[in-house]
Amino acid sequence: MFSHAITRVPGPDYPQGLTTSTLSAPDMALTLAQHAAYVDCLESLGVEVTVLPPAPGFPDACFVEDTAVVVREVAVITRPGAPSRAGETATMEAPLAALRPLARIEAPGSLDGGDILQVGKRFFIGVSDRTNAEGARQLAAILAAHGYESSVIEVAAGLHLKSSLNFVGNNTMLVTADFAGHPAIADFDQIVCPAGEEYAANTLLMNGTLIMPAGYARTRSLLEPLGLPIVELDTSEYRKMDGGLTCLSLRLEARLP
Ligand code: CIR
């Protein structure tokens, strides 16, 4: 169970962030409304949400997930792979230090939290344009010291591993066709997003509820047999900046006594 999450309100410079999308520029009023709905949704699932103010000069800073990897025992401050995002981690240190001991990914390692998928004591670490092999090695070593096992997965398509692969409960992974049948996830049942619905792979399992991006009916019908409640949230203004549901929060389990 997640007891706490950290989010950050997008700032007025949000439309200047990084994107590969050819969709239109995000509308700020809608961006903020979608962010508020996201926070409300997490709160409705029993999560205490810390909402940080915008970080001026860092247009991608609302995608807080990329700045840290947090487990019960430690918060690992990342070293984001995009130069324009490097300074975001400094703004996350104080809020995270209040909740966990800190560790850090050091140069020449680079790592974005969007490449990191946790399933219980297992981690899947994507090596992508943002996360390099050295970053993956450092993270795996820090996590191994706390009893977590890691597998490295090459991310050849999509921005981050979790753009294409997420755990949806019941020993099942939701994947894009690129990751279907990948040997690293052979122990899991797999649901493959239908062609044209690849963005829906970024579905977030939160305290037993699946939070899906709105408007992916075919993927939804494949998820329904899992028997979990499904909530759809409109993420149109985040999609325009290559973001989605997982990127918008750092999720923390309750610390063990
Ligand atoms: C970026 O390119 O870094 C941002 N515009 C989007 C980051 C999305 N983060 C994530 O999937 N974890």
Side-chain angles (χ1 to χ4, degrees):
M1 288 287 282
F2 294 108
S3 58
H4 193 168
I6 301 176
T7 65
R8 185 186 292 284
V9 177
D13 55 1
Y14 174 67
Q16 278 85 60
L18 301 171
T19 188
T20 58
S21 165
T22 53
L23 298 167
S24 60
D27 173 276
M28 270 323 289
L30 193 51
T31 298
L32 294 172
Q34 289 178 357
H35 197 267
Y38 180 81
V39 171
D40 285 351
C41 177
L42 298 190
E43 287 177 344
S44 76
L45 298 172
V47 178
E48 179 189 338
V49 184
T50 298
V51 182
L52 300 173
F58 297 105
D60 285 305
C62 64
F63 300 119
V64 284
E65 176 184 66
D66 293 318
T67 63
V69 177
V70 187
V71 289
R72 286 188 198 273
E73 300 85 355
V74 65
V76 183
I77 303 289
T78 65
R79 195 164 169 274
S84 66
R85 301 198 59 190
E88 289 178 28
T89 52
T91 69
M92 298 301 292
E93 294 219 0
L96 285 168
L99 299 165
R100 296 287 192 275
L102 299 184
R104 287 180 182 77
I105 302 298
E106 309 281 359
S110 71
L111 189 131
D112 278 15
D115 281 316
I116 314 305
L117 174 65
Q118 180 180 8
V119 184
K121 295 296 270 187
R122 290 182 70 176
F123 273 84
F124 299 90
I125 305 179
V127 169
S128 67
D129 286 348
R130 301 287 179 89
T131 297
N132 64 16
E134 172 59 14
R137 188 197 66 74
Q138 290 181 27
L139 180 67
I142 294 166
L143 294 171
H146 298 287
Y148 298 89
E149 198 184 292
S150 297
S151 314
V152 171
I153 301 186
E154 204 68 41
V155 180
L159 176 62
H160 287 128
L161 180 67
K162 283 187 289 193
S163 310
S164 307
L165 170 68
N166 284 280
F167 181 68
V168 288
N170 296 351
N171 198 48
T172 303
M173 294 286 194
L174 177 63
V175 296
T176 60
D178 293 312
F179 287 83
H182 194 291
I185 55 169
D187 300 347
F188 294 86
D189 295 330
Q190 294 171 29
I191 295 174
V192 182
C193 294
E197 295 206 354
E198 289 77 7
Y199 180 75
N202 192 248
T203 285
L204 174 61
L205 175 62
M206 194 65 172
N207 293 348
T209 290
L210 290 171
I211 311 177
M212 284 190 74
Y216 297 91
R218 288 177 296 151
T219 304
R220 181 178 175 133
S221 68
L222 295 174
L223 290 170
E224 277 167 353
L226 292 172
L228 298 174
I230 296 177
V231 174
E232 292 191 28
L233 287 183
D234 192 356
T235 56
S236 63
E237 304 317 288
Y238 295 98
R239 185 178 183 185
K240 290 173 178 176
M241 303 308 289
D242 289 345
L245 292 164
T246 60
C247 341
L248 288 173
S249 60
L250 275 170
R251 299 158 297 275
L252 285 76
E253 292 177 275
R255 288 198 76 180
L256 294 174

